[in-house]
Amino acid sequence: MKIALMDSGIGLLPAAAAVRRLRPDADLVLSWDPDGMPWGPRTPEDITERALAVAGAAAAHGPDVLIVACNTASVHSLPELRARFEPDLPIIGTVPAIKPAAAGGGPVAIWATPATTGSTYQRGLIEQFADGVAVTEVPCPGLADAVHHADEAAVDAAIAAAAARTPDEVTTVVLGCTNYELVAERIRAAVQKPGLPPLILHGSAGAVAAQALRRIGAEPAPEAVADTTLTVLLSGREAELPETALAYAEGRLLQAALPAR
């Protein structure tokens, strides 16, 4: 099988690594947009235009399913992506994990890009799944870009700024941008308050990977033999996995799983 993932940047790595763990035998296509990222500050129209282009580049490689491993694109562009590519190519969106986070009772903070924070889509999820739960939306300008470039100082600064906007009593943080899952433990360390129970973090990588397999009728087979290909598309151009991706454990996992040439 061939599974494609798209994002503005390397935020697709957590979901790609989750797919690799569930199906080591799946060929992967990773399509992202260094020419246009970050998408967070763009208008919804610009985001949709970029998302359609990145998805089109992935679709040209004939995947069985496409994971939109980007909260911002899922918030603003899923209807257009589905109209363009389905039913021939199933599209799996990434939804902030508000439902499972709210089930714990909160208080909950949702860390997300400025484009996702306050969006009608995210507010609708809060109203639907977090009624009666204290929820704080925390915009994180610059964090996704810093993670993408593996800029340690910028990551620390953006996390510190977002942590300062997060109420002290928060027990649960929703990682509402897939890039943030790459620095989850650094977020935990910044938000965790001494003497309080361990902070609960909710990402989406595992859920979307499992949903992609269900959509194409495939079962998890973590014991499968890993003899697969990895295609990397940077704004449509075929390339190697960039060095910045190898700064993260998820990127190193994907690289290590490639067969010897």
Side-chain angles (χ1 to χ4, degrees):
M1 76 186 74
K2 183 179 287 187
I3 297 177
L5 301 97
M6 60 163 282
D7 190 5
S8 60
I10 61 175
L12 50 67
L13 292 178
V19 170
R20 180 65 83 214
R21 294 185 188 101
L22 290 173
R23 289 302 299 246
D25 57 338
D27 293 327
L28 297 181
V29 179
L30 311 183
S31 182
W32 70 78
D33 187 28
D35 292 358
M37 66 86 57
W39 287 353
R42 290 179 174 272
T43 66
E45 294 76 18
D46 285 344
I47 292 167
T48 297
E49 181 179 352
R50 304 300 304 193
L52 287 169
V54 170
H61 288 259
D64 299 297
V65 62
L66 172 62
I67 296 172
V68 184
C70 176
N71 295 90
T72 297
S74 297
V75 164
H76 294 290
S77 309
L78 268 184
E80 290 83 355
L81 288 165
R82 287 177 169 148
R84 174 76 60 88
F85 296 105
E86 289 187 337
D88 295 336
L89 176 61
I91 303 293
I92 308 299
T94 298
V95 177
I98 295 168
K99 182 178 181 179
V108 174
I110 305 170
W111 284 32
T113 64
T116 300
T117 301
S119 66
T120 302
Y121 183 82
Q122 181 162 291
R123 291 280 167 84
L125 291 173
I126 293 169
E127 292 175 5
Q128 183 176 1
F129 297 120
D131 185 38
V133 175
V135 176
T136 302
E137 296 180 274
V138 180
C140 304
L143 180 53
D145 195 31
V147 171
H148 176 81
H149 290 103
D151 185 332
E152 299 289 325
V155 168
D156 286 342
I159 288 176
R165 292 192 289 271
T166 302
D168 290 348
E169 64 272 16
V170 158
T171 63
T172 306
V173 173
V174 175
L175 302 177
C177 170
T178 53
N179 285 48
Y180 304 169
E181 296 188 50
L182 295 169
V183 292
E185 290 312 309
R186 292 163 74 172
I187 292 171
R188 184 192 304 278
V191 178
Q192 179 71 55
K193 296 297 184 290
L196 293 182
L199 187 74
I200 299 169
L201 299 181
H202 284 275
S204 55
V208 297
Q211 174 62 13
L213 292 182
R214 284 194 294 269
R215 186 73 181 273
I216 60 175
E219 295 290 334
E223 72 289 345
V225 176
D227 183 15
T228 58
T229 61
L230 178 69
T231 301
V232 177
L233 303 171
L234 304 182
S235 298
R237 304 179 298 273
E238 196 159 338
E240 299 296 321
L241 199 62
E243 285 296 318
T244 48
L246 301 180
Y248 301 102
E250 292 86 347
R252 295 191 294 272
L253 170 67
L254 296 173
Q255 185 82 337
L258 294 178
R261 298 299 182 190

